[in-house]
Amino acid sequence: MSDKPISRFPIPDINELPKDIKTVILDVQEKSGFIPNVFLALAHRPDEFRAFFAYHDALMEKESGLSKGEREMIVVATSSANQCIYCVVAHGAILRIREKNPLIADQVAANYRKADITPRQKAMLDFAIKVSQRAYEVGDTDYELLRGHGFTDEDIWDIGAISAFFGLSNRMVNLTSMRTNDEFYLLGRLP
């Protein structure tokens, strides 16, 4: 385990956090076996913590035309484009677990266009990257292309919203110099 700081901003004592936030953090710790640093770093501002994780869960946990693995692909690809080590590593671990594939996260992070994913998923990631990097260029042609791959307008909203949300997340992680938990690096790599 690293002795380097989690964030350049203060990390609150978990026992001094508002009860609802402390409960969320302890639930995550029980489920995963450790506390992801993002929870501790964002707890620095409780109102923003609540808003961030409410929107995160609304995007990442709902049922829709995107699988949970595809949602994680979007996070890994856009976080790679935004040079966010924390999100590439943490969500790469979740992607490996969701897809039951120890190779996929590294492929998507390095170059999703060459990854062992479907043409539909590559089109999804092309759009996600466009939203992340050049949203001002999004137009009717993008929607037609995605519809041609079977995506509904609601799916397209989800792709764009996940990309946009993680643009915020990536920037906050880089702003705070948030350190990735060592535990994430090995998750989902071996049976």
Side-chain angles (χ1 to χ4, degrees), residues 7-181:
S7 170
R8 67 175 61 241
F9 291 88
I11 301 300
D13 181 321
I14 195 165
N15 294 313
E16 296 176 9
L17 289 171
K19 185 177 179 181
D20 63 317
I21 293 175
K22 180 179 177 180
T23 299
V24 167
I25 291 172
L26 293 177
D27 287 348
V28 167
Q29 180 181 32
E30 183 177 329
K31 185 176 180 180
S32 64
F34 65 98
I35 301 172
N37 289 342
V38 66
F39 288 88
L40 297 171
L42 294 182
H44 173 66
R45 292 200 162 172
D47 289 340
E48 292 170 35
F49 176 102
R50 291 180 188 102
F52 180 91
F53 285 107
Y55 196 41
H56 172 277
D57 293 351
L59 290 172
M60 300 301 286
E61 299 300 327
K62 73 179 187 175
E63 295 298 321
S64 78
L66 302 179
S67 72
K68 288 187 177 183
E70 288 172 332
R71 291 169 190 278
E72 296 299 337
M73 283 181 202
I74 294 167
V75 178
V76 171
T78 57
S79 296
S80 177
N82 290 325
Q83 299 182 42
C84 180
I85 294 170
Y86 185 99
C87 292
V88 167
V89 173
H91 288 274
I94 298 167
L95 174 57
R96 289 189 297 272
I97 291 166
R98 297 242 192 254
E99 292 293 309
K100 297 174 180 57
N101 179 344
L103 308 178
I104 192 167
D106 294 332
Q107 292 176 359
V108 169
N111 184 353
Y112 70 88
R113 292 172 193 90
K114 305 289 183 189
D116 294 328
I117 58 176
T118 68
R120 177 183 187 272
Q121 291 166 334
K122 288 177 185 174
M124 172 189 76
L125 295 180
D126 284 339
F127 183 72
I129 293 293
K130 190 171 193 177
V131 170
S132 174
Q133 305 296 304
R134 304 177 325 279
Y136 54 86
E137 292 180 6
V138 171
D140 292 340
T141 304
D142 298 299
Y143 285 80
E144 290 168 20
L145 179 68
L146 289 170
R147 287 183 192 120
H149 282 280
F151 291 105
T152 66
D153 285 351
E154 293 301 312
D155 298 333
I156 295 168
W157 177 292
D158 287 343
I159 296 165
I162 293 165
S163 176
F165 176 78
F166 277 92
L168 163 72
S169 179
N170 299 158
R171 286 159 181 81
M172 289 303 297
V173 166
N174 283 323
L175 165 78
T176 63
S177 298
M178 197 180 303
R179 184 162 181 77
T180 310
N181 300 70

